[in-house]
């Protein structure tokens, strides 16, 4: 009895020592031994019976009271151990065995306790205070906890069925082997006091029921059925899935960039790809669940995509609202035009593009323009001269630059979620089997979805900006229609032009907009398209395939062009109506004073006429050689307005619509004039033959200038507008038919000569095709012409005068015979590519023979490089 009492007093210290070292099974065994000693010594007192041992040894009263707390403490600590992520499989098995011994539960109940503890651990991870720097660690620890749970479920609960060999590298059924070792009868298992009996001689006085004590389970611990284990684990996974999705979604709200989102995804990929988790993952899932399980596809991928789309939408919505504010601010600055010479010089350029074109700035040439050729320069670098060549004012550049920089930030952020550039080609191909084996999941599998999300939100942003432009255009158009007066300083009209240029240039000045819509492979697709285009140029009949992203980008370009053309149309209609309104007032003013004030000088010609007798009679006639002053003023103001808005950069269609609109407005004015005179209405000045001649000259001159320019690939128009023909016939009815026959040839000559004289002044209206004069010059002509034919094509300056020294005239004289012979021989027409090649003029000049003593300027290296 003394040895038993001594043992009873030693056991509490051993229990606490075991619990401190997390040996809960050992503590459980000692606790059960303590209970066994209580029963042997009859220390359990009841209401009618008091233990005689307690009466003789009062110290045992406190020991009995203290031992009652061991059970709850061991259970609490054992269940707490089950929640741990970095706990060994054996420790989990021993903790579960302790619970089963203390609660007399079955392995199925132990499985339920294990999974409930892990579910509580998941909730604990999700409810931790989240900080942006710790979200990645929280998500990774959660994924690791899920993976470890399945691994430990296999190690602790799984027992291979009969006939199936277990994997030698993986442990399984630890719970049952631990229980077997802990509860085996004497001689088969390890005794509870096996180690302690070696340290003291008094243990030999203990009875065999104490020294050979082993805990006993009331129910037999049978292995868990495979179907029950599978169903329980699947049910637990489905229960945790909803909690994990809602919890991680709330965590990802604190991730404010796609770069941070990609960092979390990559960390999860590295964790699941690590050898410790991926080596036997497929085998364990097949044994436990009978199908593979992917945490990324089943739990996380959609959550990350949802957050990515939310961040993309939030970012591009912010860009849309800021672009609207920038547009409204720019239009307000245009409305409050600063005084000349003030601080708002950029706004003044919007009112007069010509002043912007002729202004000088340090950015006109790039700093490396002297030594870096255009072919080696990035297409994103734009010089100030290139901006002026396209009439892109500082306000336009500022708006597009601001939009492009914001899109670049968003694009760079998104590119961190996509595969790197070196893996771009590899990501386009399906992953191979070895790649799948070496990777837990394809982290770039949703790259196309990510790009499509950016594309859709970017298209929504462009549509929103265009809707703002459309509403501003509608408001400006209404204000312009309410006001019948026109002024180049009208803020409404210049606002319309600003939006026209903005929509026209947004696609070029915002390269990141194209990149967002085309996707990461946009440059690759562009290079491939150009390569295919070169092959097609060599004779290939196969048409290039249109990439869907390219088609979307083309739709955006067309939508931008559509709004630009609409804005230009508002401008052209306003200008046409205003200028023609002034013209009509002067045209219909038929007082003698007003007609004399607008009259111009006429030319006096001598003509030879043959009488009935056959004699030749010389007579003088007077014909107009200039249009009326109001016609010249109309064309000059029109050309001035086109030049003011950067006519060289206006779309060809806009200029054609402008000229057509002018002609459509002018015809009714002339028609009304001729109809009033034909009806012989009262007027201060009748329609005389001379006035009819001047009006006829004016109308035909206006028709020549304002007629729509010939488009490439189309035959010139031979039929005249019937409305114009009707007015011409009405004017010719006031002219004597005999005189009209006499006047027509010299009048046509005057018109042709006038058109050539004014072709440079009105070049923006007439176009280069109307500035070409025929070169049917007689070679034997005695006129002292000193000319050099430049090209057989229609260029603006068909003939270039050259100065010749006396020493060169001899060579040119000897060369003249060769020129005559070469002109008699049939000359093959030059190729179109060579004719229109840049620098063709310099090449022709450089090919001419020069004196050795007088080096040609065109043969200098620096100038010849300019032609390339």
């Amino acid at each position: 009895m003394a040895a038993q009492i001594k043992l009873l007093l030693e056991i509490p210290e051993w229990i606490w020592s075991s619990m401190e070292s997390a040996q809960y099974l050992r503590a459980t065994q000692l606790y059960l031994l303590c209970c066994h000693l209580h029963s042997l010594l009859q220390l359990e007192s009841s209401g009618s019976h008091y233990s005689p041992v307690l009466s003789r040894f009062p110290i045992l009263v406190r020991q009995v009271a203290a031992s009652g707390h061991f059970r709850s403490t061991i259970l609490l600590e054992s269940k707490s151990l089950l929640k741990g992520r970095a706990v060994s499989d054996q420790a989990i098995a021993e903790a579960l065995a302790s619970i089963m011994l203390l609660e007399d539960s079955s392995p199925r109940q132990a499985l339920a306790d294990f999974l409930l503890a892990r579910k509580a651990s998941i909730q604990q991870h999700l409810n931790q205070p989240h900080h942006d720097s710790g979200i990645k660690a929280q998500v990774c620890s959660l994924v690791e906890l899920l993976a470890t749970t399945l691994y430990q479920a296999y190690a602790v609960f799984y027992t291979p069925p009969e006939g199936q060999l277990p994997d030698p590298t993986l442990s399984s059924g630890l719970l049952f082997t631990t229980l077997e070792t802990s509860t085996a009868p004497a001689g088969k298992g390890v005794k509870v006091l096996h180690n302690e009996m070696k340290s003291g001689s008094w243990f030999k006085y203990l009875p065999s029921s104490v020294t050979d004590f082993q805990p006993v389970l009331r129910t037999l611990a049978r292995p868990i059925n495979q179907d029950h284990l599978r169903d329980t684990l699947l049910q637990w996974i489905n229960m945790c899935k909803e909690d994990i999705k809602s919890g991680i979604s709330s965590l990802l709200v604190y991730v404010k960039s796609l770069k941070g989102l990609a960092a979390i995804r990559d960390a999860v990929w590295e964790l699941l790809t690590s050898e410790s988790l991926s080596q036997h993952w497929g085998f364990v899932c097949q044994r436990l669940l009978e199908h593979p399980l992917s945490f990324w596809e089943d739990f996380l991928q959609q959550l990350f995509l949802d957050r990515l789309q939310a961040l993309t939408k939030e970012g591009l919505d912010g860009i849309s609202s800021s672009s609207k504010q920038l547009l409204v601010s720019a239009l307000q600055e245009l409305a409050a035009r600063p005084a000349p010479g003030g601080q708002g010089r950029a706004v003044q350029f919007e009112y007069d593009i010509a002043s912007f074109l002729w202004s000088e700035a340090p950015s006109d040439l790039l700093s490396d323009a002297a030594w870096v050729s255009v072919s080696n320069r990035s297409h994103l670098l734009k010089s100030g001269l290139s901006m002026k060549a396209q009439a892109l004012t500082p306000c336009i550049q500022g708006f597009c630059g601001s939009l492009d920089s914001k899109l670049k930030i968003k694009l760079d952020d998104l590119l961190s979620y996509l595969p790197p550039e070196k893996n771009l080609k590899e990501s386009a191909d399906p992953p191979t089997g070895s790649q799948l084996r070496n990777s837990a999941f394809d982290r770039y599998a949703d790259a196309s979805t990510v790009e499509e999300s950016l594309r859709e939100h970017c298209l929504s942003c462009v549509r929103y900006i265009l809707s703002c432009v459309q509403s501003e255009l509608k408001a400006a158009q209404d204000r312009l229609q309410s006001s019948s007066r026109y002024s180049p300083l009208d803020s409404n009209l210049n606002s319309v032009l600003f939006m026209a240029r903005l929509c026209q240039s947004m696609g070029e000045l915002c390269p990141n907009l194209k990149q967002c819509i085309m996707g990461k492979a946009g440059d690759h697709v562009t290079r491939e398209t150009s390569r295919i285009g070169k092959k097609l140029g060599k004779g290939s009949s196969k048409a290039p395939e249109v990439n869907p992203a390219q088609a979307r980008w083309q739709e955006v370009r067309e939508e931008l062009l559509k709004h630009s053309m609409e804005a230009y149309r508002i401008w052209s209609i306003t200008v046409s109506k205003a200028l023609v309104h002034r013209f009509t007032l002067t045209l219909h003013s038929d007082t003698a004073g007003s007609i004399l004030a607008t009259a111009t000088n006429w030319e006096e010609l001598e003509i030879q006429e043959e009488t009935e007798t056959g004699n030749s009679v010389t007579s003088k006639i007077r014909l107009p050689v200039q249009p009326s002053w109001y016609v010249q003023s109309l064309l000059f103001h029109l050309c001035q307005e086109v030049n003011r808005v950067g006519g060289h950069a206006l779309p060809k269609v806009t200029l054609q619509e402008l000229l057509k609109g002018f002609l459509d407005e002018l015809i009714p004015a002339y028609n009304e004039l001729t109809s009033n005179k034909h009806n012989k209405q009262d007027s201060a000045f009748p329609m005389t033959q001379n006035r009819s001649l001047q009006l006829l000259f004016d109308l035909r001159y206006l028709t020549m200038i304002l007629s729509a320019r010939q488009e490439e690939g189309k035959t010139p128009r031979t039929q005249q507008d019937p409305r114009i023909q009707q007015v011409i016939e009405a004017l010719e009815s006031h002219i004597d038919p005999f005189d009209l026959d006499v006047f027509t040839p010299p009048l046509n000559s005057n018109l042709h000569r006038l058109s050539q004289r004014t072709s440079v002044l009105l070049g923006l209206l007439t176009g280069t095709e109307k500035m070409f004069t025929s070169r049917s010059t007689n070679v034997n002509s005695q006129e002292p012409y000193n000319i050099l034919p430049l090209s057989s094509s229609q260029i603006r300056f068909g003939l270039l005068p050259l100065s010749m020294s006396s020493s060169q005239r001899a060579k040119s004289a000897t060369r003249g015979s060769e020129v005559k012979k070469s002109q008699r021989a049939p000359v093959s027409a030059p190729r179109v590519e060579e004719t229109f090649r840049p620098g063709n003029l310099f090449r022709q000049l450089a090919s001419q023979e020069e004196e050795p003593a007088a080096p040609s300027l065109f043969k200098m290296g620096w100038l010849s490089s300019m032609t390339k």
Side-chain angles (χ1 to χ4, degrees):
M1 180 180 292
Q4 295 181 39
I5 293 174
K6 180 176 176 55
L7 178 61
L8 195 60
L9 294 175
E10 292 287 342
I11 285 178
E13 183 179 352
W14 296 344
I15 292 176
W16 288 119
S17 178
S18 298
M19 293 184 65
E20 287 178 359
S21 59
Q23 297 177 4
Y24 300 117
L25 180 58
R26 171 69 177 165
T28 301
Q29 291 173 329
L30 291 172
Y31 168 73
L32 294 176
L33 176 60
C34 181
C35 294
H36 179 65
L37 288 173
H38 286 176
S39 63
L40 288 178
L41 295 175
Q42 298 180 358
L43 298 182
E44 302 294 338
S45 60
S46 59
S48 60
H49 175 73
Y50 186 74
S51 173
V53 178
L54 291 178
S55 61
R56 293 175 61 186
F57 300 96
I59 193 173
L60 296 179
V61 177
R62 183 177 299 177
Q63 196 276 343
V64 172
S67 63
H69 300 288
F70 286 140
R71 182 179 184 275
S72 60
T73 304
I74 295 174
L75 282 174
L76 181 63
E77 294 297 329
S78 297
K79 292 183 178 180
S80 177
L81 180 72
L82 299 179
K83 298 180 181 179
R85 177 166 48 93
V87 182
S88 65
D89 300 342
Q90 185 61 39
I92 294 292
E94 292 180 357
L96 288 171
S98 299
I99 297 172
M100 291 179 65
L101 290 172
L102 292 174
E103 294 184 342
D104 292 326
S105 57
S106 63
R108 292 192 176 189
Q109 183 62 39
L111 175 61
D113 292 339
F114 173 69
L115 295 179
L116 286 176
R118 289 304 170 93
K119 188 175 186 299
S121 179
I122 291 174
Q123 292 288 349
Q124 183 180 356
H125 276 80
L126 293 174
N127 295 329
Q128 287 180 357
H130 17 263
H131 307 284
D132 188 40
S133 58
I135 292 177
K136 179 169 66 175
Q138 283 182 260
V139 174
C140 289
S141 63
L142 193 62
V143 172
E144 186 178 4
L145 179 62
L146 289 169
T148 306
T149 300
L150 289 182
Y151 270 114
Q152 291 179 343
Y154 177 87
V156 175
F157 298 99
Y158 181 79
T159 55
E162 296 182 3
Q164 185 182 82
L165 296 177
D167 190 340
T169 60
L170 287 176
S171 57
S172 61
L174 290 178
L175 175 62
F176 305 101
T177 58
T178 302
L179 287 173
E180 184 179 356
T181 304
S182 304
T183 62
K188 295 184 179 180
V190 181
K191 300 177 182 179
V192 176
L193 298 177
H194 176 72
N195 296 326
E196 285 77 2
M197 291 178 65
K198 299 176 182 179
S199 60
S201 60
W202 57 273
F203 284 96
K204 62 183 179 181
Y205 300 105
L206 292 173
S208 60
S209 63
V210 175
T211 56
D212 298 336
F213 174 79
Q214 285 284 69
V216 178
L217 281 173
R218 294 182 182 179
T219 58
L220 184 61
R222 295 181 178 178
I224 301 176
N225 187 9
Q226 297 289 336
D227 295 337
H228 178 77
L229 181 60
R230 181 197 62 220
D231 296 340
T232 304
L233 288 174
L234 288 176
Q235 184 180 3
W236 177 81
I237 290 173
N238 292 329
M239 286 172 51
C240 294
K241 185 179 293 186
E242 299 302 324
D243 295 339
I244 291 172
K245 286 185 176 181
S246 60
I248 293 183
S249 295
S250 61
L251 285 176
L252 295 181
V253 170
Y254 295 92
V255 181
K256 299 299 182 181
S257 67
L258 300 182
K259 185 176 182 180
L261 207 62
I264 299 175
R265 178 203 61 188
D266 295 342
V268 172
W269 179 82
E270 292 174 359
L271 174 65
L272 294 177
T273 310
S274 62
E275 186 177 359
S276 59
L277 290 182
S278 64
Q279 186 176 8
H280 304 288
W281 179 251
F283 176 81
V284 170
C285 289
Q286 188 63 34
R287 291 289 184 268
L288 292 177
L289 308 176
E290 298 181 358
H291 65 79
L293 176 66
S294 173
F295 288 122
W296 176 252
E297 282 86 356
D298 297 339
F299 288 81
L300 303 177
Q301 184 178 24
Q302 190 59 45
L303 302 180
F304 276 66
L305 283 178
D306 293 343
R307 182 57 184 160
L308 182 142
Q309 292 180 354
L311 287 173
T312 305
K313 184 178 185 301
E314 179 182 346
L316 288 171
D317 286 348
I319 293 175
S320 301
S321 59
S322 62
S323 298
K324 179 182 179 180
Q325 294 175 1
L326 196 61
L327 177 63
V328 173
S329 176
L331 295 179
Q332 288 176 351
E333 291 180 1
L334 286 175
R337 183 191 180 208
Q343 298 295 328
R345 190 181 181 189
V347 178
Q348 294 179 10
F349 287 154
E350 294 297 329
Y351 282 80
D352 189 5
I353 301 294
S355 63
F356 167 64
L357 298 179
W358 293 104
S359 64
E360 294 185 359
S363 60
D364 283 348
L365 288 177
L366 298 176
S367 58
D368 56 353
W371 55 84
V372 178
S373 63
V374 177
S375 59
N376 296 329
R377 194 184 307 279
S378 172
H379 66 281
L380 300 178
L381 296 176
K382 302 289 185 181
S383 65
L385 288 179
S386 65
M387 295 293 102
K388 291 178 179 179
Q390 301 174 73
L392 301 179
T393 58
C395 290
I396 299 293
Q397 298 177 41
F399 185 97
C400 294
S402 175
L403 176 61
D404 189 62
S405 62
K406 294 172 185 176
L407 288 174
K408 178 174 176 56
I409 294 174
K410 197 64 189 174
L411 183 62
D412 291 344
D413 189 26
L414 185 90
L415 290 180
S416 61
Y417 202 87
L418 298 177
E421 194 68 29
K422 62 181 180 180
N423 296 335
L424 182 61
K425 184 179 182 300
E426 298 176 1
S427 64
D429 302 329
T432 61
S434 61
Q435 291 175 336
L436 290 177
R437 284 193 297 269
N438 297 331
S439 175
F441 59 89
D442 185 7
R443 51 180 165 170
Y444 302 124
D446 50 5
S448 59
T449 306
V450 173
E451 290 186 353
E452 184 63 26
S453 174
L454 176 64
R455 183 178 300 115
E456 291 300 328
H457 288 100
C458 194
L459 289 173
S460 300
C461 176
V462 174
R463 294 189 190 102
Y464 180 79
I465 295 175
L466 289 180
S467 66
C468 297
V469 170
Q470 183 66 32
S471 61
E472 293 292 342
L473 282 177
K474 184 67 170 59
Q477 184 180 14
D478 294 340
R479 290 191 295 267
L480 287 172
Q481 290 178 351
S482 61
S483 176
S484 59
R485 295 182 299 175
Y486 154 77
S487 171
L489 304 181
D490 190 348
S491 61
N492 295 315
L493 190 62
N494 286 282
S495 297
V496 169
L497 289 170
F498 171 80
M499 288 182 280
R501 288 190 290 268
L502 178 63
C503 296
Q504 183 183 9
S505 60
M506 193 180 296
E508 182 176 355
L509 294 186
C510 298
N512 288 290
L513 176 63
K514 177 181 179 181
Q515 191 74 11
C516 288
I517 296 176
M518 293 283 290
K520 194 169 183 180
D523 295 336
H524 173 73
V525 172
T526 303
R527 291 192 296 268
E528 188 70 16
T529 304
S530 62
R531 184 179 62 84
I532 294 176
K534 292 179 180 179
K535 287 186 177 181
L536 289 175
K538 295 179 181 179
S540 176
S541 60
K542 184 179 179 180
E545 297 181 0
V546 179
N547 186 277
Q550 284 181 308
R552 302 297 292 275
W553 171 243
Q554 189 60 32
E555 291 176 5
V556 172
R557 293 293 300 268
E558 292 175 357
E559 193 69 21
L560 289 170
L561 181 61
K562 175 184 175 182
H563 283 76
S564 176
M565 298 305 297
E566 182 179 354
Y568 277 127
R569 191 174 297 111
I570 296 174
W571 164 77
S572 63
I573 292 174
T574 303
V575 171
S576 300
K577 288 185 177 180
L579 293 181
V580 173
H581 177 69
R582 302 177 189 173
F583 174 84
T584 304
L585 293 178
T586 308
L587 178 66
H588 291 173
S589 179
D590 53 2
T591 62
S594 62
I595 292 177
L596 289 177
T598 58
T600 55
N601 188 27
W602 286 32
E603 182 183 33
E604 187 175 281
L605 297 175
E606 289 187 358
I607 60 173
Q608 299 289 333
E609 295 178 325
E610 185 176 355
T611 61
E612 295 178 356
T613 58
N615 297 329
S616 178
V617 178
T618 302
S619 60
K620 293 183 179 182
I621 58 174
R622 294 176 59 84
L623 291 176
V625 292
Q626 296 183 40
S628 302
W629 287 120
Y630 55 86
V631 174
Q632 298 184 46
S633 177
L634 171 70
L635 294 177
F636 177 76
H637 281 93
L638 175 60
C639 193
Q640 190 178 35
E641 175 64 18
V642 174
N643 183 67
R644 183 186 70 85
V645 302
H648 65 284
L650 284 178
K652 186 175 182 180
V653 177
T654 299
L655 280 175
Q656 291 176 348
E657 290 183 354
L658 176 64
L659 300 181
K660 183 178 181 301
F662 254 85
L663 202 57
D664 291 342
E665 293 285 341
L666 288 173
I667 292 175
Y670 275 98
N671 197 12
E672 181 181 356
L673 177 66
T674 55
S675 61
N676 291 341
K677 298 302 181 182
H678 183 73
N679 296 333
K680 302 183 182 298
Q681 295 182 358
D682 295 336
S683 61
F685 195 85
M687 181 66 71
T688 61
Q689 176 169 310
N690 286 344
R691 188 184 180 191
S692 298
L693 274 175
Q694 183 65 57
L695 291 174
L696 181 63
F697 187 86
D698 294 346
L699 181 58
R700 292 185 60 186
Y701 177 65
L702 286 172
T703 304
M704 291 178 64
I705 297 298
L706 299 179
S707 59
R709 291 193 268 183
Q710 177 184 346
E711 299 182 7
E712 296 181 3
K714 293 186 178 181
T715 56
R717 185 176 57 183
T718 56
Q719 295 183 353
Q720 196 173 31
D721 192 332
R723 298 174 300 170
I724 299 177
Q725 187 63 34
Q726 181 181 359
V727 176
I728 290 177
E729 291 176 357
L731 291 174
E732 289 177 348
S733 64
H734 297 279
I735 304 174
D736 183 80
F738 176 77
D739 292 343
L740 183 61
D741 292 338
V742 175
F743 294 160
T744 297
L747 195 65
N748 292 336
S749 178
N750 290 347
L751 281 171
H752 184 72
R753 185 167 62 249
L754 177 64
S755 176
Q756 293 299 323
R757 287 177 177 175
T758 58
S759 60
V760 175
L761 179 64
L762 306 177
L764 287 175
L765 304 180
T766 57
T768 58
E769 64 273 7
K770 292 185 179 180
M771 302 177 186
F772 172 68
T773 54
S774 177
R775 297 199 186 96
S776 58
T777 307
N778 188 6
V779 179
N780 297 324
S781 174
Q782 300 300 322
E783 297 183 17
Y785 283 134
N786 181 24
I787 56 176
L788 171 68
L790 294 182
S791 173
S792 61
S793 63
Q794 297 183 3
I795 61 175
R796 178 169 294 190
F797 303 104
L799 303 174
L800 178 66
L802 292 179
S803 60
M804 300 174 62
S805 61
S806 59
S807 61
Q808 290 175 323
R809 287 172 184 168
K811 290 186 177 183
S812 63
T814 58
R815 202 180 293 131
S817 59
E818 299 177 0
V819 172
K820 292 178 183 179
K821 294 178 181 179
S822 63
Q823 288 182 350
R824 294 190 189 101
V827 181
S828 60
R831 291 187 304 173
V832 178
E833 293 84 3
E834 296 179 356
T835 304
F836 289 96
R837 183 180 300 171
N840 188 45
L841 167 61
F842 290 156
R843 291 190 185 89
Q844 292 185 24
L845 293 175
S847 64
Q848 299 294 329
E849 295 180 4
E850 301 290 343
E851 290 186 1
S856 172
L857 177 65
F858 299 103
K859 291 186 178 181
M860 294 182 179
W862 68 271
L863 185 57
S864 63
S865 65
M866 294 174 58
T867 67
K868 297 179 181 178

